[in-house]
Amino acid sequence: MASIEETKTVEIETGTNQDFGDLIIEIKDLWRKFFENTPAEVKALKGVNFKVNRGEFITIMGPSGSGKSTLLTILGCMAPSTSGEVFIDGTEITQMPQRKLSEVRRNKIGFVFQDIFLIDKISALENVLLPLLPYGIKKSDRKRAKELLKIAGLEDRMHHRPAELSGGQKQRVAICRALINDPPIVLADEPTGNLDSQTGGEVLELLRKVNKENGVTILAVSHDPKLAEFSSRDVMITDGEISRDRINPFRS
Ligand SMILES: Nc1ncnc2c1ncn2[C@@H]1O[C@H](COP(=O)(O)OP(=O)(O)OP(=O)(O)O)[C@@H](O)[C@H]1O
Ligand SMILES: [Mg+2]
């Protein structure tokens, strides 16, 4: 008898690595080794091939230590790879000098962490504006930050400091901060990992909203079954390799 899981989703035999003509991420034979050529060598990613079309909402699952965060940090231009190619919106990033890499990151990627990393001394609004600080904050930026906080249901909390917010509210501020540059891609590493299921639900709802309404492509590492319901595709990473990749035709 098919398990509940199997009845809810469909395995795509030819791979969900389908190219619908609008690829936003393409990964070719990506390897990441730590302590390379030493007795302690760890192969965190072992020849990953992966394609993401614009507008997808992908949940990444897998056991602890399987390479999920390693993959996300490489995609987020925050960590190097050992070999292979990574294209972000058409641009190959693995050979890029640091300065150009920061540019790709600034223009293309919003990153949401499990540990929320808000600055305690400043308001929610100022936290959202933080990534723009090096470039000077314009009036239009403040307007956009306020709009984002409104979308996140935090209109009446924007002048509060993180300590005065709930866990779910803080994580929603962090998502607004990830969206302030209007990135086409949001990478989220266990965005609800430290939250209870209700506050986690508020965070997932916000991710769903920006995916559906703004067409932001989302890759989220999560074990939350709710996220699997929201997402258009789920991918399992086991021991540095993609062991399952399937679309979710019952997406809610
Ligand atoms: N900076 C590092 N130095 C050495 N080894 C590392 C480093 N980062 C990760 N690793 C190793 O690479 C492998 C993959 O780690 P990664 O953090 O990507 O796993 P993960 O799937 O995100 O796990 P978790 O679910 O626990 O967060 C692990 O064996 C880990 O020990
Ligand atoms: Mg991890």
Side-chain angles (χ1 to χ4, degrees), residues 11-34:
E11 297 252 8
I12 297 293
E13 300 252 309
T14 50
T16 339
N17 266 330
Q18 293 173 113
D19 177 354
F20 297 116
D22 196 9
L23 285 185
I24 190 155
I25 294 171
E26 186 171 13
I27 300 171
K28 292 183 186 173
D29 197 22
L30 183 65
W31 287 78
R32 174 60 166 136
K33 296 178 191 167
F34 293 103

Side-chain angles (χ1 to χ4, degrees), residues 5 7 14 19 24 34 37 40 65 113 119-120 138 143 154 157-158 166-167 194 206 232 234:
E5 208 183 29
T7 56
T14 50
D19 177 354
I24 190 155
F34 293 103
N37 301 326
F113 301 89
I119 295 188
D120 279 329
K138 300 186 289 293
K143 191 166 170 250
L154 294 168
R157 293 285 187 279
M158 55 180 82
S166 74
N194 287 329
L206 178 58
S232 55
D234 68 84

Side-chain angles (χ1 to χ4, degrees), residues 24-231:
I24 190 155
I25 294 171
E26 186 171 13
I27 300 171
K28 292 183 186 173
D29 197 22
L30 183 65
W31 287 78
R32 174 60 166 136
K33 296 178 191 167
F34 293 103
F35 312 116
E36 198 178 2
N37 301 326
T38 74
E41 183 175 280
V42 175
K43 295 183 182 76
L45 295 175
K46 302 196 282 197
V48 170
N49 289 289
F50 194 54
K51 288 176 185 169
V52 180
N53 289 281
R54 206 175 295 271
E56 285 197 271
F57 188 147
I58 300 178
T59 303
I60 300 170
M61 290 172 280
S64 179
S66 59
K68 306 180 297 296
S69 297
T70 303
L71 178 65
L72 233 56
T73 50
I74 294 171
L75 287 175
C77 308
M78 296 190 294
S81 51
T82 303
S83 65
E85 289 174 301
V86 176
F87 295 86
I88 303 287
D89 214 359
T91 307
E92 211 288 312
I93 60 160
T94 61
Q95 305 299 323
M96 254 185 191
Q98 199 56 44
R99 187 180 48 79
K100 281 204 145 190
L101 208 54
S102 337
E103 207 173 291
V104 173
R105 193 175 162 210
R106 188 170 75 240
N107 295 326
K108 303 288 181 190
I109 310 282
F111 210 104
V112 181
F113 301 89
Q114 176 173 17
D115 299 318
I116 301 167
F117 296 132
L118 295 180
I119 295 188
D120 279 329
K121 287 192 162 59
I122 58 176
S123 70
L125 178 64
E126 288 160 336
N127 266 286
V128 173
L129 285 164
L130 214 55
L132 303 180
L133 206 56
Y135 316 102
I137 292 165
K138 300 186 289 293
K139 217 175 166 185
S140 57
D141 298 329
R142 289 185 78 81
K143 191 166 170 250
R144 176 166 164 76
K146 285 180 182 172
E147 276 165 12
L148 285 169
L149 285 161
K150 196 173 165 188
I151 293 167
L154 294 168
E155 200 176 9
D156 57 350
R157 293 285 187 279
M158 55 180 82
H159 301 296
H160 286 54
R161 290 182 180 183
E164 299 158 352
L165 300 173
S166 74
Q169 288 170 337
K170 276 191 265 197
Q171 189 58 294
R172 281 183 279 151
V173 172
I175 293 174
C176 293
R177 182 182 54 189
L179 291 167
I180 191 71
N181 288 325
D182 202 14
I185 303 166
V186 166
L187 305 171
D189 199 350
E190 305 204 38
T192 63
N194 287 329
L195 306 174
D196 62 56
S197 70
Q198 179 169 349
T199 39
E202 299 165 3
V203 171
L204 298 183
E205 188 52 45
L206 178 58
L207 288 175
R208 171 157 83 156
K209 213 167 170 177
V210 298
N211 172 254
K212 280 211 159 174
E213 294 173 16
N214 306 83
V216 176
T217 304
I218 296 182
L219 275 76
V221 171
S222 178
H223 297 281
D224 194 321
K226 261 203 211 121
L227 193 64
E229 276 174 40
F230 285 177
S231 55

